[in-house]
Amino acid sequence: MNSLRYAARLNVLLQAFVLTLLMAGCQSLSTTPDQAARQKIDGLLTLIDQRLDVAVKVAQTKWNSGAPINDPARERQILDDLTASLKTADAQDKSFMRRFFQAQFDAGKIIQVALHAQWKQEAHARFANPPDLARDIRPELDRLTPLLIDALSQVRPLLQQASAKHYLKQRAGVLVRDDANGAVRAEAVRVLLE
């Protein structure tokens, strides 16, 4: 009788242990990261959207000036300056930052191209008071860049977790602007989801 009680107790303990392991496994497969991680991801996505908002201003300025939307030499200079400013980053982090910011440039150009096409079709006149590139636009980009770098530094380690990537993709649909084809948002977050 004693051995039956012992076996029953051992069986209960074994079931409790298996249940604990299963619950731990389910938590690691959760599709929602913790509150702090969600706040960091939302913060990054909000900054990405703010940077994309600047693309509308750039489009207006370039519409008035007739300057080309694509300026690879300027982009390369910005990326080189950015890379040089990351003094403590290793080569992998610098490469990631370059790819991320290039994706932001590319997403912004999608917005600009679409706006210019729309304005051309509408025979839109020059804007009466477009933002000034040096006075209005570059300071805004200069304000956003270090904030994006800091946010990226906080979010990048989280993206090793499938739940964080899933959350980022889901929240990008809410927090990051997009165009009719979904190309702007897809480009802006592409590097984060690789």
Side-chain angles (χ1 to χ4, degrees):
M1 194 77 150
N2 243 353
S3 63
L4 286 176
R5 243 189 252 155
Y6 176 76
R9 195 175 300 161
L10 188 59
N11 190 28
V12 168
L13 288 173
L14 183 58
Q15 288 175 357
F17 177 71
V18 168
L19 183 60
T20 301
L21 286 176
L22 287 172
M23 289 175 61
C26 289
Q27 286 176 351
S28 69
L29 295 175
S30 171
T31 58
T32 306
D34 66 26
Q35 178 67 25
R38 291 192 309 268
Q39 287 177 335
K40 289 175 184 178
I41 291 168
D42 285 357
L44 174 61
L45 293 171
T46 300
L47 289 169
I48 288 170
D49 189 65
Q50 289 175 16
R51 193 177 195 298
L52 291 172
D53 190 44
V54 176
V56 175
K57 299 172 187 175
V58 173
Q60 292 174 345
T61 300
K62 289 183 177 181
W63 179 256
N64 276 22
S65 70
I69 291 171
N70 196 23
D71 189 352
R74 174 84 177 131
E75 290 175 19
R76 191 170 33 261
Q77 183 61 52
I78 293 169
L79 291 173
D80 289 346
D81 291 348
L82 172 77
T83 304
S85 75
L86 301 171
K87 299 189 185 320
T88 60
D90 62 20
Q92 185 179 7
D93 288 339
K94 288 179 180 181
S95 173
F96 174 81
M97 288 292 183
R98 283 183 78 97
R99 289 184 293 115
F100 172 80
F101 278 95
Q102 183 64 59
Q104 302 319 297
F105 298 161
D106 294 344
K109 286 187 283 190
I110 294 169
I111 292 171
Q112 293 175 53
V113 167
L115 287 172
H116 278 221
Q118 175 187 335
W119 296 336
K120 185 175 183 177
Q121 184 178 16
E122 296 169 350
H124 197 289
R126 291 169 50 105
F127 289 91
N129 294 310
D132 182 81
L133 190 60
R135 184 190 67 234
D136 303 319
I137 296 171
R138 287 198 179 124
E140 180 67 8
L141 293 172
D142 290 345
R143 181 189 73 79
L144 288 169
T145 298
L147 295 173
L148 279 162
I149 291 169
D150 183 54
L152 279 166
S153 298
Q154 294 179 39
V155 168
R156 191 167 175 217
L158 300 173
L159 297 179
Q160 302 303 313
Q161 305 165 16
S163 63
K165 276 190 177 182
H166 176 77
Y167 180 80
L168 184 139
K169 189 173 183 178
Q170 171 196 7
R171 290 296 287 167
V174 175
L175 298 174
V176 178
R177 74 186 61 242
D178 207 0
D179 62 343
N181 300 324
V184 172
R185 184 182 307 127
E187 184 58 32
V189 300
R190 174 183 52 81
V191 173
L192 301 171
L193 297 173
E194 291 176 344

